[in-house]
Amino acid sequence: MKDFEINPSILSADFGHLADEIQKVEKDTTFLHIDVMDGHYVPNITFGVPVVKAIRSETNLIFDVHLMITDPMAFVEAFAEAGADMITFHVETVDDPEKVISKIRSLGKRAGMAIHPDTPIEKILPYVEKCDLILIMSVRPGFGGQHFMEEALERIAAVRKVVDEKDLKTIISVDGGICNETIDRVVKAGANLLVAGSAVFSNDDHSKAIKELISCVS
Ligand code: DX5
Ligand code: ZN
């Protein structure tokens, strides 16, 4: 992985032309962030397994599937089969995170754990070395286009500390409110995979938007 990468979130893409939207970001990224919402863990519904399967044949980007659903264990297999490369579930939704991590890994996929802004960061720290990715939410999950919560910065730094102290390869991802004004602080706090929805897809020229985000990191 490079020092840091932009991970476009298709939540803000034009769902009527998903394949075209993905094509427009393909040259500027290696990842694609896919938000799955069940209307239960979060107050919104997006898409599920059939959509992941449908776009799988359209691109070779690494599919980073962010499950915002109450029962991730029940669906990891289906998302793995549909073509997810990384599957991230919320620490708040499971009793035994290690069981879910093992399940995802047994399917040959990379395992990620996400944390809601209201959950103390200590809850996730013991799992940093057990996961391939930690996803720190910097907005309340459920919707794109929200403002970045500054409190996320010290939470990112806390995870970065564990990664550095233990010399781990765990990816530190941040999701919500990443834009030209916030990205530099987020990278400096220690994140290396920046999910960006509206900042990329609200700009007609998605490729230019990604380049702009990258150029805002000093
Ligand atoms: C929100 C989703 C995010 C969303 C971020 O719950 O998890 O991935 O797409 O959108 P922006 O970048 O617009 O804040
Ligand atoms: Zn997300």
Side-chain angles (χ1 to χ4, degrees):
M1 223 181 131
K2 297 177 198 154
D3 285 354
F4 72 92
E5 281 197 54
I6 307 296
N7 188 357
S9 169
I10 57 166
L11 181 64
S12 294
D14 176 355
F15 288 177
H17 302 93
L18 259 187
D20 296 342
E21 291 280 77
I22 293 166
Q23 237 175 33
K24 288 184 193 164
V25 298
E26 256 192 329
K27 283 193 206 70
D28 299 283
T29 182
T30 43
F31 294 89
L32 194 70
H33 186 83
I34 302 172
D35 286 309
V36 176
M37 304 185 189
D38 65 354
H40 199 251
Y41 175 61
V42 287
N44 195 8
I45 297 176
T46 50
F47 35 70
V49 173
V51 173
V52 174
K53 200 171 169 192
I55 58 175
R56 182 66 287 180
S57 52
E58 302 293 329
T59 179
N60 289 321
L61 289 174
I62 298 169
F63 277 9
D64 167 36
V65 174
H66 177 193
L67 297 180
M68 283 162 277
I69 64 177
T70 350
D71 189 3
M73 194 62 157
F75 290 94
V76 289
E77 201 159 345
F79 280 105
E81 274 171 20
D85 298 297
M86 314 203 279
I87 301 178
T88 295
F89 62 96
H90 271 258
V91 62
E92 302 84 13
T93 59
V94 299
D95 294 327
D96 186 352
E98 286 193 51
K99 216 167 132 186
V100 189
I101 294 166
S102 305
K103 176 74 181 173
I104 297 169
R105 291 241 175 96
S106 75
L107 297 161
K109 308 298 176 185
R110 288 194 262 172
M113 258 172 84
I115 185 158
H116 189 286
D118 289 346
T119 305
I121 196 71
E122 290 71 29
K123 183 96 195 267
I124 213 165
L125 296 181
Y127 301 101
V128 174
E129 61 187 310
K130 299 183 169 116
C131 291
D132 299 291
L133 175 147
I134 294 289
L135 180 65
I136 298 153
M137 294 296 306
S138 41
V139 295
R140 306 182 82 77
F143 300 92
Q146 303 181 74
H147 283 295
F148 179 79
M149 298 168 79
E150 294 292 329
E151 308 89 281
L153 293 174
E154 56 186 65
R155 292 158 67 81
I156 298 164
V159 175
R160 168 54 60 195
K161 191 162 175 264
V162 175
V163 168
D164 287 350
E165 273 173 8
K166 301 196 171 174
D167 199 19
L168 304 171
K169 297 229 159 22
T170 317
I171 295 171
I172 305 177
S173 185
V174 178
D175 188 3
I178 301 293
C179 61
N180 292 350
E181 289 69 41
T182 54
I183 189 166
D184 189 49
R185 297 202 290 289
V186 174
V187 171
K188 291 213 165 56
N192 53 3
L193 189 58
L194 298 313
V195 177
S198 48
V200 171
F201 289 101
S202 302
N203 188 324
D204 282 345
D205 190 339
H206 307 337
S207 167
K208 189 171 152 222
I210 294 176
K211 290 190 181 92
E212 259 176 43
L213 279 168
I214 295 171
S215 75
C216 288
V217 178
S218 62

